[in-house]
Amino acid sequence: MDLVPVLQGTLPPIAAALLLVSLGGARLLPLAAGLGLLVAYGLLKRWPDPPTELWFAPNGTEWLLWCLAAAAVLALLEHFRLWRGRLAAGSAVLLGGLGAWLVLAKVAARWPLAETLLHVGLGGLVTAGLALLLRASLHRARPGLLPAIAVTVLLSADAALLVGFGGSALLGQLCGALAAAVGAGLGTALWRRPFALGPGDGTWLGIAHGLFLLAGVHLASLPWLVAVFAAAAPALLLVLPGRTK
């Protein structure tokens, strides 16, 4: 097994999370994850084309990266209380739907209209719903390390499915980069307390979970049945201990 791609995919998000979360706490985790993901892709393949070029020559994987970067910005704004309440939740829904459309834009150009509406519409609804579900789960969960551990396991499982069932080492490595960022941020609790994810993190985590599965199905070989069961997995976060009143 060649360790170089593994290190290229994991070291940037780990380094970014250790540095930024150590300096600014868990509220900087979205920034660390977004930056780490872009750098990891640059090392694994190349720096992604800017959205202005992707608009005319779409690339599903690179649109996925930029959508997650946008989700990270929304989460960051929410952590700093510049984007809150219904506005934050509505933005998560809109970005989830838009992200599904952008990720599928190239392959959807070959589909009949009915198939496009079905797959893009369903993908957008599921991704937006996952963002709301993760936001609600992290809002009601008791602050602490357990939600971050659960999310790390979720993203790690996604990465394993994308490689093992989807046959895409690149998508698996990129999803694993996000898991590495959350895990590294979690590790800073050893010297910087407290560490707790907030509802804003549900935006980028839910969108990441949905878009990676959507990309696995349409840009790789992930079976629909596997994707459906994986998409339902965040519902288990609702069993985490809730906040005390």
Side-chain angles (χ1 to χ4, degrees):
M1 179 180 178
D2 189 357
L3 290 179
V4 173
V6 176
L7 295 176
Q8 289 174 327
T10 56
L11 288 183
I14 289 174
L18 289 176
L19 174 62
L20 293 176
V21 177
S22 293
L23 292 175
R27 61 185 179 174
L28 293 186
L29 179 61
L31 176 61
L35 289 176
L37 184 64
L38 289 172
V39 173
Y41 183 79
L43 294 175
L44 289 166
K45 197 167 183 182
R46 63 187 177 88
W47 189 256
D49 290 333
T52 51
E53 293 185 18
L54 291 175
W55 188 259
F56 299 101
N59 178 304
T61 301
E62 295 187 4
W63 266 129
L64 188 154
L65 299 176
W66 289 117
C67 288
L68 294 184
V73 170
L74 288 179
L76 193 65
L77 291 174
E78 191 167 355
H79 276 300
F80 284 94
R81 301 182 180 277
L82 299 174
W83 207 258
R84 304 177 64 185
R86 293 181 179 178
L87 182 61
S91 299
V93 169
L94 289 175
L95 183 57
L98 177 63
W101 175 57
L102 292 173
V103 168
L104 299 182
K106 185 174 182 178
V107 294
R110 306 191 298 265
W111 295 341
L113 178 59
E115 191 174 352
T116 299
L117 293 175
L118 173 64
H119 291 298
V120 175
L122 184 60
L125 286 174
V126 170
T127 303
L130 285 169
L132 293 179
L133 176 60
L134 266 291
R135 288 179 58 86
S137 299
L138 294 176
H139 176 72
R140 68 168 296 278
R142 185 179 303 165
L145 303 183
L146 192 56
I149 294 173
V151 167
T152 304
V153 172
L154 175 69
L155 292 175
S156 299
D158 286 346
L161 292 176
L162 289 167
V163 175
F165 288 92
S168 176
L170 179 60
L171 288 175
Q173 286 173 307
L174 294 175
C175 190
L178 293 185
V182 180
L186 178 63
T188 63
L190 293 173
W191 61 84
R192 193 189 198 286
R193 291 179 178 272
F195 180 92
L197 299 177
D201 293 298
T203 295
W204 71 271
L205 290 167
I207 290 176
H209 181 57
L211 291 186
F212 270 113
L213 292 177
L214 192 65
V217 170
H218 293 288
L219 307 184
S221 304
L222 187 67
W224 268 106
L225 186 60
V226 174
V228 168
F229 279 108
L236 296 175
L237 295 177
L238 294 174
V239 305
L240 292 175
R243 296 173 184 265
T244 55
K245 305 221 176 166

